[in-house]
Amino acid sequence: MPELLVIWGPLLLAAAHIVVFTAWTVWISFTASTLMPANEFVGLRNYSSVLATRNWKIAFDNLFVFGGGFVAFTMLTGLLLAILIDQRIRGENVLRSIFLYPMAVSFVVTGVVWSWLLNPGMGIQKLVNDFGWAGFRFDWIVDREMAIWTIVLAGVWQAAGFAMALLLAGLRSVEPDLIKAAQIDGAGPVRMYTRVILPTLWPIMVAVLVILLQMAITTFDLVRALTGGGPGIATQLPALVVYDFMFQRGQIGRGAAAAVLMFLILLGVLVPHALFKYARKRRAADA
Amino acid sequence: MPAWGRLLAHGIVWALGIAFLVPFAVVVLNSLRTAQEIAQSAMIGWPESWAFSNYAEAWSEFCVAQSCTGLRPFMWNSAAVTIPATVISTLLGAIAGYAISLWRFRGDTWIFGLVTLGIFLPQQVRLIPWTFVLRDIGLINTLTGLVVIHTIQGMSFTTLFCRNYYVSIPQDLMKAARIDGAGFFRTFFRIVLPLSPPILIVTVIWQFTHIWNEFLYGVTFTTGSQQPVTAALIGLNAAIADVPQYGVQSAAVVLAALPTLLVYLFGGKYFLRGLTAGAVK
């Protein structure tokens, strides 16, 4: 049966690579592998050494600042844009295309472009200085404390249109009867959104939230292109730590441990979401 | 809503729209300014003399890491990875999606669930295994190696997209085909494929943008002249720190971003559909 081969061949390869590769990386994370894989089992030693490095600690702290800032501001910007565009705005199609176009370019391009704009010697700061406001400072990118916010800024620019598109689709699918009923009750525009429309939108918000968190946890390209993890290691994120261990220090055991830790953080988002979706489906089926 | 409210909404949303355009507009304008002009003012400014030669230089003369070939070979590398990987992964996804949703076979839901798990598996978890697999099959530092990676990984998305589209094809059509004695492939080519253009466009656009924009595998598994354009662009940006040539560099950024931007410009509707399909899962 040739079709059996065509059906199972590619599917088995795709499925096997997911299962085997995950198991493989997990196994390596428990071994004394350095440049080459070694089969000597060392228990959690790689994990404890990764967790003890300054690199990981900074990356982990940064993940909360960056993840929190990126998700919150992307969501808020996306929601604001969606609500505004929902007001029968002239040129809606053009605007929607404008807000979504950053999603079509790579994080590398986004990072390079923003690294120029944020460079105090030639970007926004220089422009404002040249206009006559000599004291104006916008040098987050070279400031250890603020540099992580440049990644938030570029990330929000890239992803806000995505949040807008999904939320707008949600706004447009609200039951017209619900809105009419609220109008009859005399609800103003603000009450209409906060009390009637937004509460129906939360399943979409949760879906957007989960995708944005997934993006945040696996962020790599953007940081490499924008700050390279610097100044110093001030904008380190978990994905950069993984890469650093694996390919710059030649410690694949520790690199694998860092990758598994990163995956566990991601699962901390994905598993509750899957359970939540499952529970909702069950409830809908029972009702 | 009162008239002033609508006016305010228009003002805010258009101001934000312009703000979103600024970063790319700045780069496009810079790509047309000479190095001296940029050095004298800021990155942000209107070109005084239109330096179209920046593009010629970025395309074929510019030096990245000691090789003065411009961006051209790296753009070709990206195309040589993206196009085959997009076509093959889409085709395999269409066949798999059809088999799972319409043909049905023992273990179909099970294998489908497993394959779509790949959507959530971070690249970092696959890096070490891919390194050894590529080395063992002799494809490390080759474009073919990247095609293999993106084809296999891409199947998670392409299978999901196609399967979710094909489930809405009525089973009666399948029954009729079977009564006519049509087999697996005949049914696929005669009945399923003609119904597929909408989902195939979505899948192709999704795969094309993702593979073209991919960076981590490109930078990990290839070096030097084998690198895709995203990896080369980072090298170019780092190398430029010594002798800034922002005009040429901006032209390089525009060129690297152009293929996916064009796809977006002409297939925005399908691009959005892919994003939504990926999000709802």
Side-chain angles (χ1 to χ4, degrees):
Chain A
M1 298 277 262
E3 70 253 30
L4 276 181
L5 204 70
V6 174
I7 295 171
W8 279 104
L11 277 173
L12 274 182
L13 209 58
H17 112 272
I18 292 159
V19 177
V20 175
F21 281 15
T22 308
W24 194 346
T25 300
V26 171
W27 163 246
I28 286 179
S29 76
F30 288 116
T31 65
S33 307
T34 49
L35 255 181
M36 279 291 130
N39 281 329
E40 187 197 334
F41 184 79
V42 295
L44 292 169
R45 202 176 74 193
N46 288 325
Y47 289 88
S48 51
S49 35
V50 167
L51 289 171
T53 59
R54 216 167 80 82
N55 231 354
W56 176 266
K57 284 180 188 158
I58 290 178
F60 193 69
D61 289 347
N62 276 344
L63 183 59
F64 280 91
V65 178
F66 167 69
F70 168 72
V71 170
F73 285 113
T74 305
M75 205 69 157
L76 283 175
T77 314
L79 189 61
L80 175 73
L81 292 175
I83 291 176
L84 285 173
I85 288 182
D86 198 31
Q87 312 305 315
R88 288 174 294 123
I89 291 285
R90 262 164 219 261
E92 179 190 317
N93 287 333
V94 177
L95 282 165
R96 283 164 53 144
S97 306
I98 290 174
F99 291 124
L100 197 58
Y101 89 95
M103 275 303 275
V105 302
S106 62
F107 278 115
V108 170
V109 166
T110 301
V112 170
V113 170
W114 280 94
S115 76
W116 293 338
L117 289 174
L118 296 170
N119 183 325
M122 60 184 192
I124 298 167
Q125 181 181 316
K126 176 90 166 30
L127 186 78
V128 177
N129 292 160
D130 288 353
F131 264 118
W133 182 1
F136 176 79
R137 309 268 291 168
F138 187 40
D139 54 2
W140 292 0
I141 201 162
V142 291
D143 179 334
R144 280 172 182 277
E145 290 296 313
M146 295 304 289
I148 193 76
W149 291 98
T150 62
I151 301 171
V152 172
L153 179 61
V156 171
W157 177 77
Q158 175 121 358
F162 165 69
M164 171 216 72
L166 289 188
L167 293 171
L168 184 59
L171 287 178
R172 296 266 158 96
S173 62
V174 174
E175 288 282 329
D177 290 349
L178 206 64
I179 296 171
K180 263 190 206 132
Q183 273 168 343
I184 291 166
D185 286 348
V190 176
R191 268 181 76 89
M192 180 74 88
Y193 274 102
T194 54
R195 295 289 172 83
V196 182
I197 297 178
L198 293 184
T200 67
L201 218 60
W202 65 271
I204 293 182
M205 286 193 188
V206 172
V208 175
L209 181 80
V210 168
I211 291 169
L212 293 178
L213 279 170
Q214 192 178 347
M215 280 167 81
I217 293 166
T218 55
T219 296
F220 177 78
D221 319 10
L222 184 61
V223 183
R224 276 294 293 266
L226 184 53
T227 64
I233 53 170
T235 51
Q236 201 69 284
L237 282 175
L240 278 88
V241 178
V242 172
Y243 189 81
D244 187 53
F245 273 123
M246 285 180 185
F247 301 107
Q248 268 142 2
R249 304 187 192 196
Q251 296 182 320
I252 62 173
R254 288 181 189 178
V260 172
L261 287 172
M262 200 183 120
F263 191 32
L264 288 176
I265 299 172
L266 184 61
L267 287 177
V269 174
L270 294 177
V271 171
H273 181 229
L275 291 175
F276 159 84
K277 279 211 311 198
Y278 180 73
R280 252 171 63 89
K281 217 180 265 176
R282 281 285 297 270
R283 219 177 312 141
D286 290 346
Chain B
M1 183 174 280
W4 62 266
R6 283 183 52 76
L7 204 65
L8 188 69
H10 274 83
I12 297 173
V13 79
W14 273 100
L16 282 168
I18 290 164
F20 266 70
L21 275 178
V22 161
F24 203 70
V26 164
V27 177
V28 171
L29 288 177
N30 266 322
S31 72
L32 298 168
R33 299 166 81 204
T34 61
Q36 299 97 304
E37 206 182 309
I38 297 171
Q40 278 159 16
S41 61
M43 247 342 246
I44 306 156
W46 194 261
E48 283 165 24
S49 56
W50 299 82
F52 289 105
S53 61
N54 284 344
Y55 278 92
E57 209 174 314
W59 178 249
S60 58
E61 291 162 33
F62 200 65
C63 303
V64 188
Q66 279 104 45
S67 79
C68 298
T69 51
L71 214 57
R72 181 174 52 188
F74 304 107
M75 293 285 281
W76 286 126
N77 287 347
S78 279
V81 171
T82 307
I83 295 168
T86 299
V87 171
I88 301 169
S89 64
T90 302
L91 204 65
L92 293 179
I95 293 173
Y98 151 65
I100 290 165
S101 58
L102 296 170
W103 188 257
R104 308 306 308 261
F105 53 94
R106 195 194 285 265
D108 52 4
T109 28
W110 181 80
I111 193 95
F112 175 64
L114 213 52
V115 169
T116 46
L117 277 184
I119 289 167
F120 307 106
L121 187 65
Q123 291 183 321
Q124 281 76 11
V125 176
R126 316 182 211 210
L127 273 175
I128 296 173
W130 272 128
T131 311
F132 293 122
V133 168
L134 286 187
R135 204 192 50 198
D136 289 348
I137 58 177
L139 291 178
I140 202 105
N141 200 20
T142 64
L143 300 176
T144 317
L146 291 181
V147 173
V148 169
I149 292 180
H150 289 304
T151 302
I152 293 180
Q153 293 206 164
M155 274 195 66
S156 293
F157 283 99
T158 57
T159 307
L160 175 80
F161 284 180
C162 294
R163 181 262 173 197
N164 285 358
Y165 183 80
Y166 292 149
V167 275
S168 59
I169 294 178
Q171 278 289 340
D172 290 349
L173 265 178
M174 295 299 297
K175 275 191 204 129
R178 280 201 194 187
I179 290 164
D180 285 349
F184 180 80
F185 293 104
R186 238 177 103 91
T187 314
F188 179 68
F189 286 110
R190 288 288 179 77
I191 297 175
V192 178
L193 209 53
L195 295 170
S196 303
I199 195 63
L200 292 184
I201 298 171
V202 169
T203 311
V204 162
I205 287 183
W206 174 275
Q207 285 296 91
F208 184 89
T209 27
H210 275 75
I211 300 171
W212 185 276
N213 288 341
E214 201 278 331
F215 167 71
L216 179 59
Y217 290 134
V219 82
T220 306
F221 299 129
T222 60
T223 54
S225 62
Q226 293 297 100
Q227 288 198 322
V229 72
T230 44
L233 210 57
I234 295 255
L236 186 147
N237 199 30
I240 206 76
D242 317 322
V243 197
Q245 289 217 41
Y246 294 113
V248 178
Q249 249 181 303
S250 300
V253 167
V254 174
L255 287 173
L258 207 57
T260 50
L261 277 180
L262 285 177
V263 165
Y264 175 66
L265 208 60
F266 290 107
K269 189 178 76 177
Y270 296 100
F271 177 77
L272 179 60
R273 241 185 251 174
L275 284 177
T276 326
V280 183
K281 283 186 274 255

